[in-house]
């Protein structure tokens, strides 16, 4: 199955993220998540996410954005120690401070570099989570989300005190369904 590419994506604001996995010491596979730093006015403050960010004029490609932003946010150098595996489907969200649409493109990498990382001010925590845990039905849950029309119960995965939901959860589900990485 090919990833979905949204028409007109080149005319919209763009962002990219990196889904990074590594072989765990127990022989399994782990996926890297960041917990976003808590900041006033940031609607996703404190949320679990994949490293990434907005495309800048100097970025050659959306994939280069994922690599640059990952290095800036986490110290993980995908150009040196990451092995590109796949591109997932484009998703649409809104820009932080406005209601304009933004296309987010996820890229999957295998990490073969050093374990030491250095998160910057945008990242509160970096967490490696077992892919088997993320795929297990018993770890799936619902997150109540208040809207002016009532409360929605959004699908999520809970791990320790963390909750993976929204775009990150959608990307995770596509990754698991495509079985790009063995687990």
């Amino acid at each position: 199955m090919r990833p979905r590419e949204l028409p007109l994506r080149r005319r919209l604001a763009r962002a990219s993220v990196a889904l990074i996995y590594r072989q765990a010491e127990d022989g399994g596979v782990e996926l890297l998540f960041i917990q976003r730093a808590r900041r006033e006015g940031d609607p996703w403050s404190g949320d679990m996410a994949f490293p990434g960010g907005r495309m800048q004029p100097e970025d050659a490609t959306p994939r280069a954005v994922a690599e640059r932003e990952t290095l800036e946010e986490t110290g993980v150098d995908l150009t040196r120690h990451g092995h590109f595996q796949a591109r997932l489907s484009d998703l649409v969200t809104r820009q932080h401070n406005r209601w304009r649409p933004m296309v987010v493109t996820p890229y999957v990498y295998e990490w073969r570099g050093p374990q030491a990382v250095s998160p910057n001010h945008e990242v509160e925590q970096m967490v490696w989570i077992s892919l088997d845990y993320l795929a297990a039905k018993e770890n799936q849950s619902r997150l109540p989300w208040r809207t002016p029309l009532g409360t929605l119960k959004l699908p999520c995965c809970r791990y320790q005190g963390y909750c993976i939901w929204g775009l990150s959860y959608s990307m995770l589900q596509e990754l698991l369904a495509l079985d790009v990485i063995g687990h």
Side-chain angles (χ1 to χ4, degrees):
M1 184 174 102
R2 294 193 57 213
R4 288 185 324 275
E5 291 184 350
L6 296 173
L8 304 175
R9 69 186 179 283
R10 286 182 173 83
R11 294 191 181 158
L12 298 173
R14 303 283 304 269
S16 299
V17 299
L19 283 71
I20 305 163
Y21 71 93
R22 69 179 183 191
Q23 298 300 315
E25 291 178 14
D26 66 5
V29 175
E30 298 173 316
L31 192 60
L32 176 65
F33 288 87
I34 61 169
Q35 180 183 27
R36 295 170 53 91
R38 297 177 195 287
R39 291 192 329 219
E40 193 85 20
D42 180 350
W44 297 282
S45 180
D47 281 357
M48 296 303 285
F50 296 110
R54 290 186 55 175
M55 190 168 196
Q56 303 298 327
E58 63 272 12
D59 291 316
T61 64
R63 190 169 132 193
V65 174
E67 293 170 358
R68 175 183 56 77
E69 285 281 345
T70 297
L71 181 59
E72 288 173 10
E73 291 178 358
T74 67
V76 170
D77 189 344
L78 294 173
T79 58
R80 290 184 63 208
H81 301 291
H83 292 266
F84 175 73
Q85 300 293 313
R87 175 194 174 282
L88 301 181
S89 297
D90 290 333
L91 296 167
V92 177
T93 187
R94 70 178 177 89
Q95 296 179 43
H96 277 279
N97 50 355
R98 2 184 172 154
W99 285 99
R100 293 199 181 135
M102 181 168 62
V103 175
V104 180
T105 305
Y107 295 91
V108 180
Y109 292 83
E110 180 181 9
W111 177 247
R112 295 185 186 164
Q115 300 301 319
V117 291
S118 52
N120 74 4
H121 66 279
E122 298 175 69
V123 176
E124 188 137 330
Q125 296 279 344
M126 292 175 59
V127 183
W128 291 93
I129 305 175
S130 158
L131 213 55
D132 288 336
Y133 181 95
L134 294 164
K137 296 257 186 274
E138 63 269 16
N139 300 321
Q140 308 312 303
S141 186
R142 295 280 173 181
L143 175 69
W145 186 259
R146 286 199 184 112
T147 74
L149 302 175
T151 300
L152 301 174
K153 294 201 180 270
L154 303 176
C156 68
C157 179
R158 296 185 186 276
Y159 175 76
Q160 297 177 357
Y162 304 111
C163 182
I164 301 158
W165 68 285
L167 288 182
S168 298
Y169 185 80
S170 296
M171 293 170 196
L172 171 62
Q173 295 311 306
E174 182 178 9
L175 179 71
L176 292 170
L178 290 177
D179 202 27
V180 174
I181 49 185
H183 62 280

